[in-house]
Amino acid sequence: MSPFKVVCELSSRSRQDAVVRLLRRNGTMTIAELATEVGASRRTVLRDIGALREQGFVIHSEPGRGGGLQLDPQSVLTTARLSVSEVFALIISVSAMRATGGIPFLELADAGLAKIEKALPRDKIRDLRRLLKCLYVGELSPRVNISDMGKMAPTLLPAFETAFLRRLHLRFQYRDAKGVETSRKVEPQAVLILPPLWYLVAWDPAREDFRHFRMDRISRPACAEGETFRRRHVPFEDHVRPVRDST
């Protein structure tokens, strides 16, 4: 799957989620009102309504002036829609909170994640297990400056998933601590969580060594189609451990 397709699918899924939230909140809305709210054309919203109905949502149409669309209040999703990267993101988030000791109801969160994982098809479970093998957690040194911490690009995790599972090189722009931006092409090997910072751990062919890239400093991630790499053993410090070993 190309990074462009990943972004498009994320956009479509986010838009459909927004449509559901709007209908739940407002009761009745016209196609024109929905299109304005989600920033899409009427035709796109109509396609989204059709897709939501196929997924199990009951959406009624009232024709004529004053009519509109209504979501059955008892309507629920009958098919699992979570992608591997979404489940992976949930696990990462819970793991990061666990590492800081700042998550209440930890047992409930783990139980919920277990149910979500069980609902995934076999092929997605296989991909999720492969992703979890590359996920590590540790403690951030108090000497590390986090005053400039920013937000991570929403396309980074899906791009990492595609690159990691298909062994594709990952391209991106990287801004270092001094604000200097460079173009990078690396072999993604792991994700390291040192709360509150997240790092992409990758083999950098240009430097013939491993590099840790702060994920909030990465922009415009994209996979390099056709260029594959091999998995490497990533050396970590003693305090870093695999997420599955920390649960």
Side-chain angles (χ1 to χ4, degrees):
M1 181 183 297
S2 70
F4 176 75
K5 187 175 181 181
V6 169
V7 172
C8 287
E9 289 183 352
L10 282 175
S11 176
S12 174
R13 185 160 54 245
S14 298
R15 191 177 58 247
Q16 290 168 17
D17 289 343
V19 168
V20 171
R21 288 196 300 270
L22 287 165
L23 289 175
R24 286 195 190 281
R25 185 182 307 147
N26 297 311
T28 301
M29 294 186 71
T30 65
I31 294 294
E33 289 171 337
L34 286 170
T36 299
E37 288 290 336
V38 301
S41 67
R42 290 170 58 93
R43 180 176 298 181
T44 297
V45 171
L46 285 170
R47 284 200 301 267
D48 288 338
I49 295 297
L52 288 168
R53 284 170 170 160
E54 289 179 359
Q55 293 161 16
F57 287 101
V58 179
I59 300 176
H60 303 290
S61 300
E62 294 186 0
R65 184 181 296 274
L69 298 173
Q70 289 184 342
L71 178 68
D72 189 317
Q74 302 301 317
S75 181
V76 295
L77 189 61
T78 59
T79 58
R81 295 177 61 211
L82 287 177
S83 67
V84 171
S85 56
E86 287 172 330
V87 177
F88 187 49
L90 286 172
I91 293 174
I92 289 177
S93 299
V94 171
S95 300
M97 295 288 286
R98 180 188 287 110
T100 63
I103 180 171
F105 315 117
L106 179 59
E107 292 183 358
L108 287 175
D110 283 335
L113 282 174
K115 291 179 181 179
I116 290 173
E117 290 183 48
K118 287 180 181 178
L120 291 174
R122 286 185 178 181
D123 58 332
K124 290 188 176 182
I125 285 288
R126 183 174 60 251
D127 288 346
L128 180 62
R129 287 173 178 167
R130 290 172 61 192
L131 282 169
L132 288 176
K133 288 181 179 179
C134 79
L135 183 56
Y136 293 80
V137 64
E139 296 180 3
L140 185 68
S141 168
R143 297 189 299 272
V144 176
N145 179 23
I146 61 172
S147 62
D148 63 341
M149 186 174 65
K151 294 182 178 180
M152 284 183 283
T155 54
L156 178 54
L157 195 59
F160 170 82
E161 176 199 342
T162 301
F164 181 84
L165 293 177
R166 294 177 55 192
R167 303 285 188 268
L168 297 174
H169 285 76
L170 189 64
R171 299 179 184 273
F172 54 84
Q173 297 297 116
Y174 190 70
R175 175 180 50 81
D176 65 17
K178 296 180 179 180
V180 178
E181 189 169 292
T182 55
S183 298
R184 302 296 185 98
K185 186 176 79 170
V186 300
E187 303 171 1
Q189 301 287 338
V191 169
L192 173 61
I193 305 172
L194 302 178
L197 297 180
W198 295 17
Y199 293 86
L200 167 66
V201 183
W203 177 263
D204 190 335
R207 293 162 177 78
E208 297 186 342
D209 199 1
F210 287 102
R211 288 289 187 270
H212 289 55
F213 300 95
R214 267 181 48 173
M215 294 174 71
D216 60 309
R217 293 176 175 170
I218 294 175
S219 62
R220 287 183 281 172
C223 298
E225 292 288 343
E227 299 184 58
T228 60
F229 62 87
R230 63 181 177 87
R231 283 293 304 278
R232 300 173 185 267
H233 172 70
V234 183
F236 285 114
E237 297 180 7
D238 292 339
H239 69 89
V240 172
R241 60 198 181 279
V243 160
R244 278 311 195 193
D245 291 349
S246 64
T247 58

